[in-house]
Amino acid sequence: MSIGEILKKLKKNILFLLFAILVCITFFSVKKVVAISNEKTHFIYIDAGHGGFDGGATSLDKTIIEKDITLKVCLYLEAYFKKTGLKVKLTRSKDEALAKSKRDDILKRVSLINDSACDISIHANAYPSSSVKGAQTFYNKNLEDNLLLASKIMNYLYLVDSTNKRVPKDISGKYLLDNTQKVGCLVELGFLTNESDLEKLTDDEQLRKISLMIYLGILEYLEEKGS
């Protein structure tokens, strides 16, 4: 085995140990979050971007479609939250649009979130660009806690990619963020047109890690707001 292969194996083992430690830490903090939820009845609403006729962004060769990646991450998130005992809902759980047009689809997503008793909405997404890379959270400052949630999630996403220099960003003009009255943020998982991001986004193990980071960020937010 070459030195390079040894270093690669060691790095993988170290990352595995790091995530194992994070899971153990989460186990102890979850008890507090669940206790908070028993008093307040928290709902986490997860919105998997696109679906059905609306595929979203694609890789350069058009073989990888955004809607499939966002759905995978949201299903992983749903499983994490169910194990925690928190109530969770998805705007979609399979490859389907919520309406026959893109306009009506986004209106339906906003309606589902606003008409529910949910506390948090997460929009997992991916935006195409050949010149940039890295996951990032976006929020609308119409609610003060949106920044806090986006920051908590972003801090954990750095653990997946230590080279990521992106920071939570306030944006407007996104209908979902502009019109939901629940605390939430948009999570851009990465860029399908960037080689290193694409490698992560097509690796189920990496997607589980990314999902875990989003999950931990939400838990930390709930713990802070419930204290």
Side-chain angles (χ1 to χ4, degrees), residues 92-132:
R92 69 180 180 98
S93 58
K94 56 185 178 180
D95 182 16
E96 63 180 0
L98 303 188
K100 293 182 179 180
S101 70
K102 196 163 184 177
R103 176 184 177 276
D104 289 342
D105 177 86
I106 197 68
L107 289 174
K108 180 66 174 178
R109 292 171 196 264
V110 170
S111 175
L112 285 172
I113 294 169
N114 284 339
D115 291 344
S116 73
C118 70
D119 296 288
I120 300 171
S121 62
I122 296 294
H123 183 72
N125 213 335
Y127 189 82
S129 174
S130 59
S131 60
V132 291

Side-chain angles (χ1 to χ4, degrees), residues 30-44 81 84-87 119 222 226:
V30 158
K31 290 184 177 180
K32 183 175 181 181
V33 174
V34 172
I36 293 167
S37 297
N38 288 339
E39 295 175 4
K40 293 188 173 183
T41 313
H42 287 286
F43 284 86
I44 293 86
F81 281 114
T84 305
L86 296 176
K87 294 180 174 63
D119 296 288
L222 288 175

Side-chain angles (χ1 to χ4, degrees), residues 12-201:
K12 186 176 181 179
N13 289 339
I14 290 170
L15 284 173
F16 177 80
L17 180 61
L18 173 62
F19 282 102
I21 292 171
L22 282 171
V23 170
C24 289
I25 292 171
T26 303
F27 175 78
F28 291 105
S29 65
V30 158
K31 290 184 177 180
K32 183 175 181 181
V33 174
V34 172
I36 293 167
S37 297
N38 288 339
E39 295 175 4
K40 293 188 173 183
T41 313
H42 287 286
F43 284 86
I44 293 86
Y45 220 124
I46 306 170
D47 179 28
H50 308 283
F53 66 85
D54 179 14
T58 64
S59 57
L60 290 173
D61 62 6
K62 309 298 182 183
T63 60
I64 307 301
I65 307 174
E66 178 185 350
K67 66 176 182 177
D68 299 328
I69 295 172
T70 60
L71 181 57
K72 271 191 175 183
V73 168
C74 289
L75 290 173
Y76 289 146
L77 272 172
E78 180 188 32
Y80 286 135
F81 281 114
K82 283 186 174 179
K83 288 180 180 178
T84 305
L86 296 176
K87 294 180 174 63
V88 59
K89 295 182 180 180
L90 277 71
T91 54
R92 69 180 180 98
S93 58
K94 56 185 178 180
D95 182 16
E96 63 180 0
L98 303 188
K100 293 182 179 180
S101 70
K102 196 163 184 177
R103 176 184 177 276
D104 289 342
D105 177 86
I106 197 68
L107 289 174
K108 180 66 174 178
R109 292 171 196 264
V110 170
S111 175
L112 285 172
I113 294 169
N114 284 339
D115 291 344
S116 73
C118 70
D119 296 288
I120 300 171
S121 62
I122 296 294
H123 183 72
N125 213 335
Y127 189 82
S129 174
S130 59
S131 60
V132 291
K133 67 182 288 289
Q136 188 171 17
T137 56
F138 295 85
Y139 67 96
N140 189 304
K141 59 184 179 183
N142 57 0
L143 291 176
E144 183 179 351
D145 283 347
N146 287 348
L147 171 58
L148 178 61
L149 174 63
S151 298
K152 295 292 186 185
I153 294 173
M154 196 71 227
N155 286 339
Y156 278 100
L157 288 174
Y158 293 140
L159 296 177
V160 180
D161 181 5
S162 59
T163 66
N164 190 351
K165 305 301 181 184
R166 295 182 172 277
V167 297
K169 185 176 180 180
D170 169 36
I171 60 171
S172 58
K174 292 283 187 181
Y175 189 88
L176 186 74
L177 294 182
D178 290 346
N179 292 277
T180 50
Q181 284 90 51
K182 308 295 181 179
V183 174
C185 70
L186 184 152
V187 182
E188 295 282 3
L189 299 171
F191 296 84
L192 293 176
T193 49
N194 178 270
E195 186 176 350
S196 61
D197 275 4
L198 183 62
E199 186 176 348
K200 291 188 184 76
L201 296 176

